[in-house]
């Protein structure tokens, strides 16, 4: 997508640490655009999920939306787009691996979405968001399907617990365990905690598909 106002894109890619080290820089940092982009994508995610899931209730849609707009999901999209290489960040943040931090990548992507909205309008932002969110829908559905499975059997909401974190600070690997009815039914490992939760939910769904009800909790009455 080409920007009509290139300065908007430049601002969206400018972290506050860069401005602090270069006080004369024009345009300022991306925090206002991040605020705008965050608000816009929450609305667009709700709209898209409402359209794509006509049978889902409010709780199920809320779970799906949380997955799509989470820090981990946005950071994964930013990595897929190669956004980190184009960010303007301060030297200190650079030295600590800031270009790979989930929070920084997610915030910067929100700022880019905010800039797209201002530059090209809601239609262009909707098309961009839907194209990028499509890659995350199947993963988000693992958690949504597991919650639906669990609640339909009277086992409550699945509980996700971080059980391991290894590797350097800027490239960690997370291990997450999911429990249904108080019993562990799946684990997942990934570069982000959100992705590890999705992997754990996928494993749990496979486990529960072949498990007797008493293996995972009380039989609903």
């Amino acid at each position: 997508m080409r920007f009509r106002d290139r300065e908007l894109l430049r601002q969206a890619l400018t972290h506050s640490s860069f401005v602090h080290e270069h006080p004369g820089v024009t345009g300022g940092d991306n925090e206002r655009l991040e605020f705008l982009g965050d608000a816009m994508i929450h609305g667009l995610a709700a709209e898209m999920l409402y359209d794509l899931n006509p049978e889902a209730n409010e709780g199920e849609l809320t779970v799906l939306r949380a997955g799509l707009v989470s820090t981990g999901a946005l950071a994964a999209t930013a990595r897929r787009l190669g956004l980190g290489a184009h960010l303007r960040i301060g030297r200190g943040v650079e030295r600590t691996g800031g270009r790979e931090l989930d929070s920084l990548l997610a915030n910067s992507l929100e700022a880019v979405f905010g800039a797209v909205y201002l530059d090209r309008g809601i239609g262009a932002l909707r098309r961009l968001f839907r194209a990028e969110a499509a890659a995350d829908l199947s993963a988000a559905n693992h958690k949504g399907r597991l919650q639906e499975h669990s609640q339909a059997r009277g086992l409550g909401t699945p509980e996700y617990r971080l059980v391991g974190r290894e590797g350097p600070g800027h490239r960690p690997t997370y291990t997450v365990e999911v429990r249904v009815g108080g019993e562990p039914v799946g684990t997942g490992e990934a570069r982000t905690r959100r992705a590890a939760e999705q992997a754990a939910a996928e494993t749990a769904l496979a486990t529960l598909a072949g498990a007797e009800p008493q293996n995972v909790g009380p039989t609903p009455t």
Side-chain angles (χ1 to χ4, degrees):
M1 177 179 294
R2 292 183 179 275
F3 272 74
R4 297 187 180 103
D5 183 353
R6 299 286 296 180
E7 286 304 312
L8 264 177
L9 177 59
R10 182 184 296 274
Q11 183 180 355
L13 298 173
T14 302
H15 188 252
S16 58
S17 62
F18 185 88
V19 175
H20 291 157
E21 292 182 7
H22 303 82
V25 67
T26 59
D29 62 40
N30 62 8
E31 291 182 357
R32 282 172 53 83
L33 288 172
E34 174 195 335
F35 167 81
L36 177 61
D38 175 69
M40 297 303 299
I41 64 173
H42 272 76
L44 289 173
E47 175 191 68
M48 181 179 72
L49 293 168
Y50 183 88
D51 290 343
L52 294 179
N53 300 274
E55 303 301 321
N57 61 34
E58 179 186 5
E60 292 163 348
L61 291 172
T62 299
V63 171
L64 290 173
R65 183 179 62 178
L68 282 181
V69 301
S70 69
T71 296
L74 295 176
T77 299
R79 289 190 179 94
R80 190 164 61 244
L81 295 173
L83 190 64
H86 300 286
L87 298 178
R88 298 202 296 176
I89 61 178
R91 290 185 296 273
V93 175
E94 180 86 68
R95 284 195 297 270
T96 58
R99 292 185 190 277
E100 280 296 313
L101 286 177
D102 277 9
S103 57
L104 196 151
L105 286 170
N107 292 344
S108 298
L109 183 64
E110 289 174 341
V112 170
F113 285 151
V116 170
Y117 170 70
L118 292 178
D119 190 69
R120 302 297 294 268
I122 187 63
L125 178 59
R126 179 182 288 110
R127 290 190 294 273
L128 174 62
F129 177 77
R130 290 198 174 206
E132 296 304 330
D136 291 321
L137 275 176
S138 61
N141 277 332
H142 292 315
K143 290 183 71 173
R145 291 203 312 272
L146 179 61
Q147 177 162 317
E148 180 180 359
H149 178 102
S150 175
Q151 292 181 340
R153 288 156 180 76
L155 303 176
T157 301
E159 299 176 356
Y160 296 87
R161 186 165 66 95
L162 182 66
V163 296
R165 185 181 186 278
E166 299 179 348
H170 65 289
R171 293 180 65 86
T173 297
Y174 297 89
T175 302
V176 168
E177 175 187 83
V178 60
R179 290 174 172 257
V180 171
E183 297 293 329
V185 291
T187 60
E189 185 176 288
R191 282 278 310 280
T192 68
R193 181 166 180 170
R194 172 191 171 273
E197 289 178 355
Q198 303 295 357
E202 183 177 13
T203 301
L205 285 166
T207 299
L208 294 173
E212 292 295 327
Q214 62 267 25
N215 292 337
V216 295
T219 302
T221 57

